[in-house]
Amino acid sequence: MPDPGSGSDRTPDPGSGSDRAPGPGPGPGPGSDRGSDRAPRPGPDAVPVLTDPAREGDADTAAPQPPGRRFWAVRRIPAAVLAAVLLGASGLLLYDVAAVRAEHSAMAWRRSLADGLATRPLDDTWVLVGAGVAVALGLWLLLLALTPGLRDILPMRREHPDLRAGLDREAAALALRDRAMEVSGVQSVRVKVGRAKAAVRAVSHFRALDEVRSDLESVLTTGIDELGLARPPALTVRVARPPRKG
């Protein structure tokens, strides 16, 4: 029989360190980061992404600028003249109709106009003249209503959507003339700036004409670009010698 005091059948002591199951170590285990709020660290091959707040703000605020359109004329004088004529004619006609309704005689001009319209044929000279004047007046009013006017003001590029600017054609011509006079060999310059074309006529008293023309085209092309016009005019340059005296 086995000896009950032998160590082979002895129950192991739970407090002994030899038979104790190994517990978790002091370091973090495989599941220690689970459920934590900490973001995973990038690996050694990860490339960080850098963003520039200033560029992001510029990209958000940048928007396509509207094209520079021509300025529309107010045309106060034609509108005031037309309003005055219509007001006077309608007031006079209303007064005459009210007078007839009050059992008074109609005005002489109204009786003669009614008789003329009733008796004159359509091919009468005065009827044709009156119809032509009415048609011309109507076409003139339609032209004023459909065209912007203000041909002397050139629209400039819009750097801000709430701001519009224009440049007078004479001022643009004067600025280009000053730039052209700085070219060596130029004696006098005449500049005419239109909505689609800038014509330059220069007189050169020395240097070759081709060299002067080339320098003028270079300088004036830069000058037109610096004017900041929405639609830069096309440049044409002509250079000639001064006329001989006697």
Side-chain angles (χ1 to χ4, degrees):
M1 292 181 66
D3 188 4
S6 63
S8 59
D9 296 332
R10 187 179 299 174
T11 305
D13 187 8
S16 62
S18 60
D19 298 330
R20 185 179 301 173
S32 60
D33 292 335
R34 184 179 300 173
S36 62
D37 296 333
R38 185 180 303 174
R41 296 181 180 179
D45 297 334
V47 179
V49 179
L50 301 179
T51 57
D52 190 354
R55 290 186 177 180
E56 289 181 357
D58 294 341
D60 294 337
T61 57
Q65 301 296 334
R69 297 180 179 179
R70 292 179 57 187
F71 292 86
W72 282 77
V74 181
R75 295 188 174 98
R76 294 186 178 91
I77 296 178
V81 171
L82 180 61
V85 171
L86 292 179
L87 181 62
S90 59
L92 186 61
L93 181 61
L94 182 61
Y95 173 79
D96 189 53
V97 171
V100 171
R101 293 294 182 179
E103 298 181 355
H104 293 281
S105 60
M107 294 183 179
W109 65 269
R110 187 183 174 192
R111 291 196 303 268
S112 60
L113 180 60
D115 295 339
L117 293 176
T119 57
R120 289 179 182 272
L122 295 179
D123 57 351
D124 186 73
T125 304
W126 289 106
V127 174
L128 296 178
V129 170
V133 171
V135 170
L137 182 60
L139 292 177
W140 179 62
L141 294 177
L142 288 176
L143 182 65
L144 292 180
L146 298 178
T147 55
L150 296 180
R151 299 176 60 89
D152 293 337
I153 299 179
L154 302 175
M156 303 179 67
R157 290 192 295 266
R158 300 185 65 175
E159 302 295 339
H160 194 276
D162 297 333
L163 181 63
R164 294 188 63 191
L167 181 64
D168 189 77
R169 290 197 301 179
E170 294 183 359
L174 183 60
L176 295 180
R177 177 184 176 276
D178 293 341
R179 295 292 296 268
M181 290 298 297
E182 297 176 358
V183 177
S184 177
V186 175
Q187 182 180 9
S188 62
V189 182
R190 295 178 59 185
V191 181
K192 184 178 180 181
V193 178
R195 293 191 299 112
K197 183 178 179 181
V200 179
R201 294 184 178 181
V203 175
S204 176
H205 56 292
F206 70 94
R207 293 183 66 194
L209 296 182
D210 294 337
E211 296 179 359
V212 176
R213 184 183 299 106
S214 177
D215 292 345
L216 281 175
E217 290 178 352
S218 176
V219 170
L220 294 178
T221 300
T222 304
I224 291 176
D225 184 67
E226 292 177 353
L227 291 178
L229 299 177
R231 298 177 181 177
L235 179 64
T236 58
V237 180
R238 295 182 180 179
V239 184
R241 293 296 185 190
R244 296 181 180 181
K245 298 181 179 180

